[in-house]
Amino acid sequence: MKKDIKVKLIYISAVLVVIVLGISSRAYTDQLPLFISSHAGDALWGSMVYLGFRLLLTRQRLLLSLVLSLIVSFGIEFSQLYQEDWINGIRSSLLGGVILGKGFLWIDLIRYSAGIGITFILDGLSLLWIRRTGEFQMVPSQKKTNQCCSEKEQ
């Protein structure tokens, strides 16, 4: 149980870091290199979606979060092709614009895929490292000793 909480706290922290980076990439566009300011925001948005699914699905395979985050990201992007007054009213708000976007762009699909893919790879490498180092072991590993025999038998 403690392991689940620790893992969820790590994913919550990662989501918050990505949100701060995403907002910063929009707020400081004039101070960032053109490539970063043009693409980072959408890539980080995709990364946040992936991390959100990992937060909810910590006991599931990474691939499930990858697939779901691509479906949601692409679904939201394609929903931007639908332009009616009621949904454009929602999109005109700050939160609605961040979540639903404002207009369809093919390149956004590439940006989302890049952010999700990079985060998926980093997540997998992190979990591999944790498994190898035993970072999340609940009980410290103990050296096996031969306690079955008396000193005379050894």
Side-chain angles (χ1 to χ4, degrees), residues 49-111:
V49 172
Y50 172 83
L51 291 168
F53 277 113
R54 289 300 301 144
L55 175 63
L56 296 173
L57 306 169
T58 52
R59 293 182 177 213
Q60 303 298 319
R61 293 182 175 266
L62 299 180
L63 190 59
L64 179 61
S65 294
L66 174 79
V67 170
L68 290 175
S69 46
L70 286 170
I71 290 170
V72 167
S73 298
F74 280 44
I76 289 174
E77 188 64 27
F78 280 110
S79 77
Q80 294 170 28
L81 293 169
Y82 179 73
Q83 299 289 323
E84 289 294 329
D85 290 339
W86 70 271
I87 197 159
N88 288 338
I90 295 170
R91 288 180 179 136
S92 67
S93 72
L94 178 63
L95 188 59
V98 168
I99 294 171
L100 298 176
K102 298 189 187 231
F104 178 83
L105 294 172
W106 284 103
I107 191 142
D108 285 351
L109 300 175
I110 296 168
R111 294 171 180 154

Side-chain angles (χ1 to χ4, degrees), residues 3 6 130-142:
K3 180 180 174 182
K6 191 172 183 180
I130 287 168
R131 286 186 188 123
R132 286 194 176 164
T133 61
E135 180 70 25
F136 280 95
Q137 277 186 325
M138 298 303 291
V139 179
S141 62
Q142 299 172 354

